[in-house]
Amino acid sequence: MIVGRFPSSRPRRLRRNENIRRLVRETKLTLDDLIYPIFVRFGENIVEEVPSMPGVYRYSVDKVVDAVKEVRDLGIPAIILFGIPEHKDEVGSDTWSEEGIIQRALRKIKREVPDIYVITDVCFCEYTSHGHCGVLHEQDVDNDLTLENLKKQVVSHAENGADMVAPSGMMDGMVKAIREALDDAGFKHIPIMAYSAKFASAFYGPFREAAQSAPAFGDRRTYQMDPANSREALKEVFMDIEEGADVVMVKPALAYLDVISKVKENVLVPVCAYNVSGEYSLIKAAGKMGWIDEKKVMWETLLSIKRAGADMIITYFAKDVAQMINRGEV
């Protein structure tokens, strides 16, 4: 590559005003990139803010439609649902119950806001009494028994209106099991967004409060990925694509921009990145203290995730970003 030398080459020529900066801008963040997470909980007439996540709320089923309509009206194309049931058990049976929290929310949302695209998180940690992501055997998650329950969960979600399912438990073979279950039940059209490279991260703390999903003992390092590994992330991604994943995900985003970039360079399916709760709350806290310009740091953060290669971003900032875009502030 031949690069011009100063003084004949002056990169500042293309930075002189906002119009030329817009014309040469390489990366653009738009409404089309955004997915907004929504927490649905048991009870009635409830809209409660998550203490560690300012601006993020848990909604009862009767209130969730108002939240979804707000997202739709801002121009955000999709939401991803997380459920908090009233009753938990050893296997998380609420996840496949016809009257489960997600099933009830799906029916109401698809009836009253049919034009929003609804993705469902597919896991068990919010629904089990022990807080782990599947069926336990000797204090660890039994991979293959958990796959059987995942099949029931995804079919139930599809039957109640899910547009896409997103398995997040990092079970080996989960995409294959889910694809077969959906196909056998007549849902060949339902895509799978796999949490393919989900790391055992310390950035999930606020989410665990929001979803009431902290493990009762131990941690999730036997099934979530070691934060030190990036080649293994590619292995996980390749396996999920071979098993039938339509979209692959890297989670978290900020500390794993290199992984997002590697995945993007090596696959032909869309890549999603999850801008997780800890990343959100750190910016919110620093902004509240006046240490940073919250809006500018939020925008720069999401732009970096897009620049790294994400085709879509799950972010708690989605509504804030949409408002900025709609007001023409960026």
Side-chain angles (χ1 to χ4, degrees):
M1 180 182 296
I2 300 173
V3 179
R5 295 182 179 180
F6 176 84
S8 61
S9 181
R10 292 178 179 263
R12 288 183 60 189
R13 291 174 185 144
L14 301 183
R15 302 174 193 154
R16 286 187 60 82
N17 59 51
E18 181 59 17
N19 283 335
I20 187 60
R21 290 193 294 270
R22 287 172 58 194
L23 286 169
V24 301
R25 190 160 290 146
E26 298 172 21
T27 305
K28 292 180 172 63
L29 187 65
T30 74
L31 294 171
D32 297 336
D33 301 316
L34 305 175
I35 300 169
Y36 186 64
I38 291 182
F39 297 99
V40 188
R41 58 152 293 165
F42 64 90
E44 294 183 357
N45 199 33
I46 296 171
V47 178
E48 59 183 10
E49 190 171 29
V50 179
S52 60
M53 300 178 71
V56 175
Y57 296 83
R58 291 180 286 242
Y59 303 92
S60 53
V61 172
D62 58 311
K63 291 293 186 179
V64 74
V65 163
D66 292 337
V68 175
K69 286 180 177 178
E70 180 187 11
V71 173
R72 187 268 319 271
D73 292 345
L74 284 168
I76 298 166
I79 60 171
I80 182 167
L81 289 180
F82 298 89
I84 304 137
E86 183 172 10
H87 301 293
K88 304 187 180 191
D89 58 30
E90 286 292 304
V91 295
S93 61
D94 189 90
T95 60
W96 63 80
S97 168
E98 188 65 14
E99 291 305 311
I101 191 71
I102 290 296
Q103 286 78 359
R104 290 166 52 214
L106 279 169
R107 293 195 294 269
K108 190 167 184 64
I109 292 167
K110 297 308 289 188
R111 182 170 60 248
E112 300 190 36
V113 200
D115 49 341
I116 197 77
Y117 195 84
V118 183
I119 306 164
T120 56
D121 177 75
V122 174
C123 195
F124 296 101
C125 57
E126 302 106 300
Y127 306 90
T128 54
S129 52
H130 45 74
H132 279 280
C133 299
V135 180
L136 286 187
H137 177 69
E138 295 181 354
Q139 300 294 91
D140 194 12
V141 175
D142 186 302
N143 191 95
D144 294 2
L145 288 178
T146 299
L147 295 183
E148 295 305 309
N149 288 345
L150 281 172
K151 294 177 185 179
K152 293 185 285 187
Q153 184 179 171
V154 294
V155 170
S156 180
H157 286 190
E159 288 173 341
N160 285 278
D163 295 300
M164 175 185 282
V165 295
S168 61
M170 290 296 289
M171 295 296 110
D172 295 339
M174 65 181 184
V175 174
K176 182 176 185 292
I178 287 170
R179 184 72 272 158
E180 290 175 352
L182 289 171
D183 290 355
D184 290 345
F187 295 106
K188 290 181 170 64
H189 62 287
I190 298 293
I192 298 171
M193 177 165 67
Y195 287 62
S196 299
K198 180 179 180 181
F199 291 84
S201 172
F203 282 97
Y204 302 149
F207 174 92
R208 290 175 180 173
E209 178 189 9
Q212 299 174 7
S213 63
F217 62 88
D219 54 42
R220 297 177 177 141
R221 288 183 293 176
T222 66
Y223 42 102
Q224 293 178 0
M225 282 190 58
D226 187 331
N229 296 353
S230 62
R231 286 183 301 167
E232 185 186 11
L234 286 177
K235 175 183 177 181
E236 289 276 9
V237 164
F238 293 151
M239 288 178 67
D240 282 354
I241 292 172
E242 186 176 355
E243 291 177 15
D246 301 281
V247 181
V248 294
M249 185 197 299
V250 177
K251 179 184 180 185
L254 273 182
Y256 300 88
L257 294 176
D258 61 318
V259 178
I260 296 170
S261 180
K262 282 185 179 181
V263 171
K264 179 66 172 181
E265 290 173 358
N266 284 278
V267 305
L268 298 178
V269 302
V271 178
C272 181
Y274 199 142
N275 177 215
V276 299
S277 60
E279 297 166 351
Y280 172 87
S281 295
L282 286 170
I283 292 173
K284 281 290 185 180
K288 182 178 181 180
M289 293 299 294
W291 295 337
I292 60 170
D293 183 317
E294 181 184 315
K295 283 188 176 180
K296 288 183 178 179
V297 171
M298 169 190 71
W299 185 264
E300 188 175 341
T301 295
L302 295 178
L303 197 63
S304 75
I305 298 168
K306 182 72 184 293
R307 189 181 66 244
D311 297 294
M312 56 192 82
I313 304 171
I314 300 172
T315 178
Y316 304 96
F317 284 122
K319 292 193 296 184
D320 297 332
V321 171
Q323 290 166 356
M324 290 176 65
I325 292 172
N326 292 335
R327 290 194 295 258
E329 295 177 8
V330 291

